Amino acid sequence: MSNISLIIEERAADIGSFMVGRLLPFRQKRAVGPFVFIDHMGPAKMSERDNMDVLPHPHIGLSTLTFLFEGSIMHRDSIGSEVEIKPGAVNWMTAGKGVVHSERTPEYLRNSTKNLHGLQIWVALPKELEEMDPTFFHISADEIPAWEQDGVEMKLIAGEAFGMKSPVPVHSKLYFLEIKSKEAQKLNIGSDLFGESALYILDGNISSEGNVFEPKQLLVAKNSKLCEFEIGANSTIYIFGGEPFPEERFINWNFVSSRKERIEKAKDDWIHQRFPKIPGETGFVPYPEYNK
């Protein structure tokens, strides 16, 4: 991994009812390919009094990808989707011109102890699709391509790589991979990737050129050729990236767009409650009084 350009340490962030570890955006690196936002949720042990309740909130100009390692979240949105996501499955919601969703602990788990652990990811949309109609897809764990290669377990959660294609209906050239290894061994996978790349260590470690990198670190490559590195025993890593867009993406709260004036309109629409409503949901997250 001789081409590491940046090491990003996970930073604590409060999302209301839950603390997360923020990885992107970072002041020196706003995006990796089309990936503009990554939160590491947990691992959290929750009592029978603790529940996840992220109230209805809006998005524009992006797709959200939720991938859990432990626990369960009930997703509801203004398109009418109501889906429980469990570990290994993918929730893929494309906001386009505007969508509202909530994320809560499912009813049957609310009075019991439970764990929650996973990744919340935002992927920006190509400029020509920023105003598309919103869509939602749930892809079950057994639909995700999984295989063994050079002694490691691989999963292609989204996008295309290694001659495989995930059924997650992405809107640009990208990849999001899970790699697990029980044994310490050398890997060389750069020739199968493209665009910008980053590597996140969930468990275990990787080592390169005498340097050891531990969990809660995001390693950003100078290019997608991740070269050779050694993955430690009992390690799980995630590699993501893809082709960056030619235009900059602006982020303000939950809004992503290539145009600042579009974000201002979304902000005004949310403050005045012009976004669509979620069937059966009441309450909402107010727009915070700050500017990023």
Side-chain angles (χ1 to χ4, degrees):
M1 182 84 81
S2 57
N3 69 335
I4 295 172
S5 65
L6 185 63
I7 301 167
I8 300 174
E9 300 283 346
E10 208 169 284
R11 290 106 55 216
D14 188 348
I15 60 168
S17 60
F18 207 68
M19 290 298 291
V20 298
R22 182 134 309 153
L23 294 159
L24 280 180
F26 185 64
R27 63 183 177 276
Q28 292 160 267
K29 188 66 179 168
R30 308 303 295 176
V32 175
F35 291 80
V36 295
F37 179 98
I38 299 180
D39 269 357
H40 175 209
M41 301 184 294
K45 292 191 181 301
M46 304 167 78
S47 75
E48 60 274 10
R49 295 180 304 278
D50 297 324
N51 291 297
M52 182 183 192
D53 281 302
V54 180
L55 295 176
H57 59 281
H59 292 288
I60 64 162
L62 56 80
S63 297
T64 63
L65 189 157
T66 305
F67 186 76
L68 296 182
F69 313 129
E70 287 184 277
S72 180
I73 296 173
M74 182 60 75
H75 164 99
R76 293 183 181 87
D77 64 41
S78 54
I79 311 166
S81 318
E82 186 170 331
V83 177
E84 181 183 355
I85 184 170
K86 294 184 175 182
V90 172
N91 270 8
W92 177 258
M93 181 184 72
T94 298
K97 64 186 180 183
V99 77
V100 178
H101 75 133
S102 65
E103 295 159 297
R104 299 180 184 272
T105 300
E107 208 59 45
Y108 71 94
L109 291 174
R110 294 184 79 84
N111 296 313
S112 59
T113 57
K114 58 254 171 202
N115 296 330
L116 188 60
H117 192 197
L119 294 173
Q120 290 267 29
I121 293 169
W122 297 358
V123 181
L125 287 169
K127 189 173 182 178
E128 67 274 13
L129 294 178
E130 287 183 317
E131 297 300 316
M132 67 179 279
D133 288 336
T135 58
F136 176 83
F137 293 90
H138 176 85
I139 294 86
S140 61
D142 59 6
E143 295 177 83
I144 301 296
W147 69 100
E148 195 171 293
Q149 182 171 317
D150 301 326
V152 299
E153 296 173 31
M154 313 270 285
K155 270 187 193 172
L156 182 60
I157 299 164
E160 295 186 53
F162 300 96
M164 304 277 187
K165 184 175 182 178
S166 165
V168 175
V170 301
H171 301 287
S172 62
K173 287 195 68 178
L174 61 86
Y175 45 85
F176 177 34
L177 288 153
E178 177 186 86
I179 301 177
K180 290 180 180 247
S181 184
K182 292 186 175 69
E183 311 291 335
Q185 57 190 305
K186 280 195 165 59
L187 292 182
N188 189 346
I189 60 172
S191 60
D192 291 285
L193 305 177
F194 54 87
E196 297 182 329
S197 266
L199 184 154
Y200 175 64
I201 304 162
L202 180 71
D203 294 309
N205 62 74
I206 70 160
S207 57
S208 175
E209 299 182 324
N211 297 310
V212 178
F213 301 97
E214 305 280 353
K216 299 194 173 184
Q217 290 186 318
L218 180 70
L219 312 179
V220 181
K222 291 174 187 167
N223 57 52
S224 65
K225 308 306 176 200
L226 289 169
C227 303
E228 289 189 4
F229 60 91
E230 184 169 299
I231 185 169
N234 302 310
S235 294
T236 301
I237 64 174
Y238 292 87
I239 295 177
F240 63 91
E243 299 292 351
F245 297 126
E247 324 85 8
E248 183 182 356
R249 287 301 181 275
F250 303 104
I251 301 180
N252 182 303
W253 192 42
N254 297 317
F255 306 132
V256 174
S257 181
S258 58
R259 296 178 294 128
K260 286 183 176 178
E261 63 272 18
R262 180 63 182 92
I263 287 178
E264 287 302 310
K265 181 182 185 307
K267 185 169 106 176
D268 189 66
D269 285 345
W270 183 248
I271 288 168
H272 294 96
Q273 287 296 291
R274 297 187 201 107
F275 271 79
K277 301 286 190 285
I278 303 173
E281 277 274 21
T282 56
F284 62 91
V285 180
Y287 179 79
E289 293 304 314
Y290 66 88
N291 291 305
K292 287 185 182 177

